[in-house]
Amino acid sequence: DIMLLWHFHQQSAMSCFRLPPEKHKAKVKGFSFDAIGEKIACVYTTGISALFSMDSLPSNGINIECDATADVFQDADATDVTFLGDSSSVVLGSGPKLFLWDTLSPRLYNIGLRKM
């Protein structure tokens, strides 16, 4: 439920990115930085995706709470996440399933792939 950000040649983590308490017990399965390095999108073993801002201040000295979460994969089979170009949209994948999450809105879009 946490992801630590380290700075080279330092003794401890700079920041700790954490899911909300009701979403704990999840491990990071994949993550991606946006094009300018200001946001991190993560996908977890429980099928949750989360968005974190790099410029957020820690709430208690080290923990940074997520900006938004989405329960994308109910069967917890998410495998990868990436930002879509320079936008705020995130593409999440799992085998043949793809989802588009516009992180500025609560909607998720299922992208269906057809066999050709």
Side-chain angles (χ1 to χ4, degrees):
D1 62 12
I2 63 168
M3 186 172 57
L4 299 174
L5 181 65
W6 290 79
H7 187 274
F8 288 107
H9 306 295
Q10 298 296 318
Q11 295 295 324
S12 61
M14 291 173 31
S15 302
C16 174
F17 298 91
R18 182 177 294 275
L19 285 173
E22 67 274 7
K23 307 274 188 194
H24 283 193
K25 305 293 183 207
K27 293 183 180 176
V28 175
K29 198 163 185 183
F31 69 93
S32 176
F33 288 92
D34 73 342
I36 55 177
E38 290 184 348
K39 296 183 184 213
I40 301 173
C42 296
V43 67
Y44 293 84
T45 54
T46 57
I48 296 169
S49 182
L51 181 71
F52 297 94
S53 292
M54 294 296 291
D55 59 359
S56 296
L57 295 174
S59 60
N60 63 356
I62 193 167
N63 289 332
I64 296 175
E65 303 296 329
C66 64
D67 296 333
T69 62
D71 292 323
V72 181
F73 299 99
Q74 301 303 325
D75 48 0
D77 62 353
T79 56
D80 205 5
V81 59
T82 189
F83 280 89
L84 188 61
D86 292 339
S87 73
S88 63
S89 295
V90 176
V91 176
L92 303 128
S94 172
K97 298 180 201 171
L98 286 176
F99 286 87
L100 178 65
W101 177 28
D102 180 357
T103 59
L104 298 178
S105 110
R107 296 201 49 183
L108 281 168
Y109 300 93
N110 186 352
I111 302 170
L113 300 177
R114 291 184 279 167
K115 293 184 180 179
M116 299 189 150

